[in-house]
Amino acid sequence: MNLGLFFCVLGAALAVGLAGMGSSKGVGTASEAASAVISNDPSKFGKMLVLQLLPGTQGLYGLIIAIMIMLNTGILGGETVTDLGIGLAYCAAALPIGLGGYFSGKAQGRVCAAGCALTAKRPEESSKAIVSASLIELYALLGFIISFLIVINI
């Protein structure tokens, strides 16, 4: 494998790997809190499910960027990238969503866990918990948008 293609593969792996790690940690944290609430009151499952799912979006954003990199560089078929500079550019393009997804996924999971506690005590306030968690989503979206714009302009 040439160095250009290696860095393209590394970029795709970083995008999906880092963002997926953040999402899995965040979903796990929120799910632990939600399970405690549901064990006491199963009727709150629907409200808990939304809070459990929110940190999972970062992994999806990373997956989209990884697929775009693989499509653009020939990893999924076609002519493969051989230029080292282009490979490094794709690797760098993966970093905003990789790092942004990692850190925002973990943070969003903690906020969603707190939202589960809020919803357990005051179910009518669950929308406030969702809004709080959505504020962190903005930073995952910013990383996704920057990665997306870089990938389409390489």
Side-chain angles (χ1 to χ4, degrees):
M1 178 184 297
N2 65 61
L3 278 177
L5 186 59
F6 169 78
F7 281 105
C8 293
V9 171
L10 180 61
L14 287 172
V16 76
L18 290 172
M21 286 171 32
S23 277
S24 63
K25 179 66 175 159
V27 169
T29 300
S31 294
E32 288 174 6
S35 293
V37 173
I38 294 166
S39 70
N40 289 325
D41 186 358
S43 69
K44 292 188 174 120
F45 174 75
K47 292 178 188 248
M48 295 296 115
L49 185 60
V50 173
L51 291 168
Q52 289 174 269
L53 291 173
L54 277 171
T57 56
Q58 284 83 341
L60 295 175
Y61 300 151
L63 177 65
I64 292 168
I65 295 301
I67 290 171
M68 288 177 63
I69 290 171
M70 292 187 294
L71 286 171
N72 289 353
T73 60
I75 295 169
L76 294 179
E79 188 176 332
T80 58
V81 169
T82 58
D83 184 77
L84 177 59
I86 291 177
L88 288 170
Y90 278 110
C91 190
L95 293 178
I97 188 52
L99 294 172
Y102 176 75
F103 289 109
S104 69
K106 287 176 60 176
Q108 195 172 39
R110 289 190 305 272
V111 171
C112 286
C116 289
L118 168 66
T119 303
K121 292 179 183 175
R122 303 191 64 192
E124 69 279 1
E125 303 294 340
S126 66
S127 60
K128 291 178 181 171
I130 293 169
V131 168
S132 294
S134 298
L135 295 174
I136 298 168
E137 186 75 21
L138 171 66
Y139 296 96
L141 279 169
L142 292 175
F144 172 71
I145 291 167
I146 294 303
S147 288
F148 181 85
L149 290 173
I150 294 170
V151 167
I152 64 172
N153 284 295
I154 294 175

